[in-house]
Amino acid sequence: MSDHQQNKTQRNNETAMAPLKTTMPTSTAKQPPQYVDTRPMITRKSLSDPLIGAAAKSKWTVQHSNLKARPSPTPTTPCALPPPQKCTSRLVKHTSADIISGRIAMTLQARSIKAKYCKSAAKCRTLDFVKFYIRLYVVPGDDGGVLVELQRVSGDYLSFMYDCRAILDAAEGKDVIMESNEYNSKAMYLRLPVSQMSFVCNDDIVLEHDLKTTQDEEDIINITSELLSSPQSDSNMLGMESLVSLVDANLTSKSTAILAAKRLVCTRHESGNGPFSLHNYAMSLIIYEDDHENDDEDDSSLEGDATSLSMKVSLNRSIAEHTRRLRTHALMALSNALDLLNSEKILCDTISASKEWYASVLIPSLIDNVKSASSKPYDATLAARCLTSLAMCSKVFASTMKNNEGCKNAGGGGGCLSALERAGQIGRDEFELLLRDVERCQSTLLGC
């Protein structure tokens, strides 16, 4: 046999042994799109479920046959949706809707974005209080597929686009790298403590903030108190945002942060809060739930368009959103303050005169927040952080949480450990940040 015949026989054998590629058309004629059951390529260091692509575990499963076409403006319906924006939409071809929705649901869980699902739409809320909708539409034809479109309702645009790009990439099956730092979306100057920045460490530079006295620091905190005591709701919100920054040593000087933290965790008499008590204001937001808070949980607009959505926003929902944000900021400020004072080994001494109030009032309220993880996962996350700091501070607090002593107002269904167990399952399915903080709290309690 000649060399030419041997090479031809070898190529034929290799072709016969090669696996068939069924996902590619075998002819040049137009073929209907073939849906490939591919797994979403999402990578993150704290991945808890190895079966990340399993459709059975997805919280959002959209049947491809139930998808509708995107409404377009017509002479009879001029108020329909405008054309999709390229930066907030993506056409995914050759993939069924259930696979796409599963990818999106897993990405939302990994990024700790609260979502409510209804048929082919999802209502989302981020940690930065950005609200947006995700909708899936079918695009018929040989060049069609599934159109994934995001629509921002309220909140910061840059924060929205940060999550929007990741969601659209995940819908296509691209890699979505999740950083371990929960503050990965913040600018670099917000990640590094001021005291560690290069221009502060330079001995030749004298900065104005180094010359501040205790009175200067108190004046800064008093400005926040004036905002919180204002009858204007927007001033109250600005004051709460300022308080969250004041008790964060990454955003202000440590001495100012410690002073603000003491005024937050102590009563008026102990900390010299003056005519306005930061403690009373923040704790009242945490302990007493407003009747309007649940008015914000409205699913009636999930299947509607932008026009109907804006017309349905009522006064009660605006009040509910404002109250909910104030309450979340209060929990953020408290968790920052407790963590700061605990890291400085002064938390126990600071709250020594109020331990009974913490054990009988605050801890049961924080457990209540953990139990509301299904509807308010971020509040539950912050409450778990507060419980962790209190448990690390005092073994009495830890024993109170484990034994459910003094926690009669914590609602039904058991005490802290059982609430953490249920919250951990919710975090595993829907909210990654909640899972991490719940596991840390459980480890702290079991180690005491």
Side-chain angles (χ1 to χ4, degrees):
M1 183 180 294
S2 63
D3 294 340
H4 175 71
Q5 291 177 336
Q6 290 180 352
N7 293 337
K8 184 177 180 180
T9 302
Q10 184 177 3
R11 286 195 301 269
N12 292 336
N13 293 334
E14 291 176 355
T15 303
M17 296 174 60
L20 295 177
K21 298 181 180 180
T22 58
T23 59
M24 297 296 295
T26 57
S27 63
T28 58
K30 289 188 176 181
Q31 302 271 347
Q34 301 179 16
Y35 299 113
V36 184
D37 188 2
T38 57
R39 295 175 60 185
M41 295 179 291
I42 302 177
T43 57
R44 47 191 172 92
K45 294 181 180 179
S46 58
L47 185 62
S48 58
D49 187 359
L51 300 177
I52 189 172
K57 291 183 177 294
S58 174
K59 300 294 292 184
W60 189 27
T61 302
V62 179
Q63 298 299 324
H64 194 87
S65 58
N66 295 336
L67 285 182
K68 299 179 180 179
R70 190 179 189 276
S72 301
T74 63
T76 57
T77 58
C79 295
L81 291 173
Q85 301 296 316
K86 185 176 181 180
C87 60
T88 58
S89 63
R90 197 80 54 87
L91 180 61
V92 183
K93 298 182 179 181
H94 309 312
T95 308
S96 60
D98 60 325
I99 300 300
I100 296 174
S101 60
R103 294 172 177 175
I104 294 175
M106 188 59 67
T107 304
L108 295 177
Q109 187 274 343
R111 303 181 76 83
S112 298
I113 298 176
K114 170 63 177 174
K116 281 194 171 184
Y117 305 110
C118 179
K119 297 180 181 179
S120 60
K123 179 181 179 181
C124 306
R125 177 198 294 266
T126 71
L127 301 179
D128 296 327
F129 306 101
V130 178
K131 286 184 176 183
F132 62 91
Y133 288 81
I134 305 174
R135 293 185 174 89
L136 305 184
Y137 301 102
V138 64
V139 178
D142 296 337
D143 296 330
V146 177
L147 178 65
V148 182
E149 183 177 18
L150 277 72
Q151 179 188 30
R152 182 174 64 99
V153 178
S154 62
D156 181 66
Y157 177 77
L158 293 179
S159 177
F160 165 71
M161 289 306 302
Y162 179 79
D163 291 313
C164 177
R165 295 188 186 98
I167 293 171
L168 293 177
D169 287 344
E172 287 189 311
K174 296 180 180 178
D175 288 346
V176 179
I177 306 299
M178 298 301 301
E179 298 181 20
S180 59
N181 188 357
E182 64 183 272
Y183 299 106
N184 52 12
S185 60
K186 290 188 176 183
M188 182 59 67
Y189 72 90
L190 294 180
R191 302 185 194 180
L192 189 67
V194 176
S195 59
Q196 297 182 16
M197 293 184 178
S198 58
F199 67 88
V200 177
C201 300
N202 192 342
D203 297 334
D204 298 332
I205 300 177
V206 179
L207 300 176
E208 184 179 354
H209 74 265
D210 292 331
L211 306 178
K212 287 180 179 177
T213 62
T214 303
Q215 183 61 43
D216 294 331
E217 294 175 342
E218 291 181 351
D219 291 340
I220 294 174
I221 301 174
N222 289 335
I223 294 175
T224 299
S225 299
E226 292 176 2
L227 291 172
L228 293 174
S229 61
S230 171
Q232 303 295 328
S233 59
D234 55 347
S235 297
N236 299 154
M237 185 63 68
L238 182 60
M240 285 305 302
E241 293 173 351
S242 175
L243 180 60
V244 172
S245 300
L246 280 177
V247 294
D248 190 343
N250 290 334
L251 306 182
T252 187
S253 63
K254 180 173 287 189
S255 58
T256 303
I258 292 176
L259 180 60
K262 287 182 176 180
R263 290 182 60 169
L264 177 59
V265 302
C266 294
T267 62
R268 172 179 173 181
H269 174 72
E270 292 169 327
S271 59
N273 275 332
F276 179 81
S277 174
L278 287 177
H279 173 86
N280 292 344
Y281 185 90
M283 296 305 173
S284 63
L285 288 171
I286 296 173
I287 296 172
Y288 304 109
E289 185 173 0
D290 193 271
D291 294 335
H292 291 288
E293 282 197 50
N294 294 328
D295 293 340
D296 187 46
E297 301 299 327
D298 183 15
D299 301 331
S300 59
S301 55
L302 271 176
E303 295 296 328
D305 57 24
T307 305
S308 62
L309 175 64
S310 60
M311 294 174 62
K312 292 177 182 177
V313 176
S314 63
L315 178 61
N316 284 343
R317 292 183 62 187
S318 299
I319 296 175
E321 174 66 16
H322 178 78
T323 305
R324 183 170 182 173
R325 289 187 63 174
L326 282 178
R327 195 164 186 268
T328 302
H329 277 108
L331 284 167
M332 292 172 64
L334 179 61
S335 65
N336 288 343
L338 293 176
D339 182 68
L340 174 62
L341 296 177
N342 196 42
S343 65
E344 297 295 320
K345 309 298 183 183
I346 58 176
L347 178 58
C348 288
D349 295 336
T350 303
I351 63 175
S352 58
S354 306
K355 281 190 174 181
E356 183 178 354
W357 178 86
Y358 272 81
S360 61
V361 179
L362 182 61
I363 289 179
S365 178
L366 293 175
I367 296 176
D368 273 337
N369 280 275
V370 174
K371 290 183 177 182
S372 66
S374 59
S375 59
K376 301 170 185 176
Y378 192 31
D379 287 4
T381 301
L382 297 171
R385 292 181 188 177
C386 294
L387 291 172
T388 301
S389 297
L390 292 173
M392 294 173 64
C393 162
S394 169
K395 292 185 178 180
V396 175
F397 288 158
S399 178
T400 300
M401 297 174 197
K402 289 190 292 184
N403 300 329
N404 203 26
E405 295 177 359
C407 297
K408 296 179 181 179
N409 299 325
C416 186
L417 289 176
S418 59
L420 290 171
E421 184 67 25
R422 291 191 294 270
Q425 183 59 46
I426 294 172
R428 190 173 293 105
D429 295 338
E430 304 176 13
F431 211 81
E432 175 67 20
L433 192 58
L434 174 62
L435 176 62
R436 295 204 298 256
D437 281 283
V438 163
E439 289 179 344
R440 182 168 177 257
C441 187
Q442 288 175 320
S443 176
T444 302
L445 288 177
L446 295 177
C448 293

